Amino acid sequence: MAFVTRQFVRSVSSSSAASASAKKIIVKHVTVIGGGLMGAGIAQVCGSLIRFSSNSAVSVAAATGHTVVLVDQTEDILAKSKKGIEESLRKVAKKKFAENPKAGDEFVEKTLSSISTSTDAASVVHSTDLVVEAIVENLKVKSELFTRLDKFASEHTIFASNTSSLQITNIANATTRQDRFAGLHFFNPVPLMKLVEVIKTPMTSQKTYESLIDFTKALGKHPVSCKDTPGFIVNRLLVPYLLEAVRLYERGDASKEDIDTAMKLGAGYPMGPFELLDYVGLDTTKFILDGWYEMDAKNPLFQPIPSLNKLVAENKLGKKTGEGYYKYK
């Protein structure tokens, strides 16, 4: 009797698992909104037909079969995005197919052929499985976009935002599909960075969450899960660390140079906090901090930084403008 019971339990468990698995959305068609650095990178990894292992060898996991539509406002922006994707792919091909250039050319051409472009998001989302938004970090703009797309997208379509600083719940509330809405936070540069934060709001269904985990793995990325908390995992730990470094400097406790050197040699970090701030962009860090301060003004970690505000006001945003906490030639 015990044997029969165990067999019955195993059978029911297997059937339940199979049923749950069958309900998940298998993402094949992806629409990426935003042709900037992040959007183009996401489109590239979605369109790549070959996945690579961490070493130089080509992995066996190939042909995920994703087709991608990259959307932005003008053809000029999309042309630049497509050119950037091709240049990035050729760098990958040169490295990964060093001994077989012909195979490298085929890899580039096949990937590019799976990525099309459009300036009309509403006309392409009706047949997509997943919409990934990577536009300006502005809640109003994102909300207006998703409200519009919600009217045209298929019932099964999952919406995801690549935001690094805004709350996913607030964006999802602009739609009628809160259960099919989540965060997919990729990291720059997207083709190289393995991590993707999968953000589950209180309304995100388990089916949506599991579908996105599977999709992320299919891209050859490593997903981590997080609730819809400010900054998610990486930025919630990284940004306060960067800001504490600035406060240490502002108090006169140590110089920028010594703080950077200490964290590189003492903690093993590849870049010091001031070097990283300038690399990321001081305006980006200020934007994140301002958003967190609005949400929780009493949190000591989220208090304004005088030197950061001054540099941003002077348009000294870091490496991209030639000067931030350091000067660049």
Side-chain angles (χ1 to χ4, degrees), residues 14-128:
S14 298
S15 298
S16 299
S19 176
S21 176
K23 292 179 180 179
K24 288 189 287 187
I25 300 296
I26 299 175
V27 176
K28 290 293 183 181
H29 305 288
V30 183
T31 298
V32 180
I33 312 292
L37 195 61
M38 293 302 295
I42 294 168
Q44 178 181 326
V45 298
C46 289
S48 294
L49 296 178
I50 298 177
R51 306 291 165 230
F52 299 100
S53 62
S54 57
N55 56 35
S56 60
V58 179
S59 77
V60 180
T64 59
H66 296 120
T67 57
V68 187
V69 181
L70 180 61
V71 180
D72 212 310
Q73 294 177 319
T74 70
E75 293 292 350
D76 286 344
I77 294 173
L78 291 169
K80 291 177 182 177
S81 301
K82 206 72 184 287
K83 182 181 179 182
I85 291 172
E86 181 175 357
E87 289 174 352
S88 177
L89 287 169
R90 293 206 179 280
K91 288 179 182 178
V92 172
K94 186 176 181 180
K95 180 179 179 182
K96 302 293 184 178
F97 297 93
E99 298 180 2
N100 191 349
K102 185 178 179 181
D105 290 339
E106 291 177 358
F107 159 72
V108 173
E109 295 307 318
K110 285 182 179 180
T111 301
L112 290 174
S113 69
S114 70
I115 303 172
S116 58
T117 60
S118 175
T119 57
D120 186 2
S123 68
V124 299
V125 296
H126 68 279
S127 59
T128 197

Side-chain angles (χ1 to χ4, degrees), residues 145-193:
L145 170 70
F146 279 117
T147 297
R148 180 166 177 261
L149 297 185
D150 195 32
K151 299 173 183 177
F152 296 95
S154 172
E155 186 73 16
H156 80 281
T157 303
I158 296 172
F159 284 178
S161 175
N162 182 59
T163 181
S164 61
S165 60
L166 301 174
Q167 286 197 291
I168 302 298
T169 302
N170 291 340
I171 307 172
N173 285 340
T175 75
T176 60
R177 62 182 75 212
Q178 289 97 331
D179 61 321
R180 284 149 289 157
F181 205 115
L184 272 183
H185 184 213
F186 292 80
F187 289 80
N188 184 38
V190 179
L192 298 180
M193 299 295 279

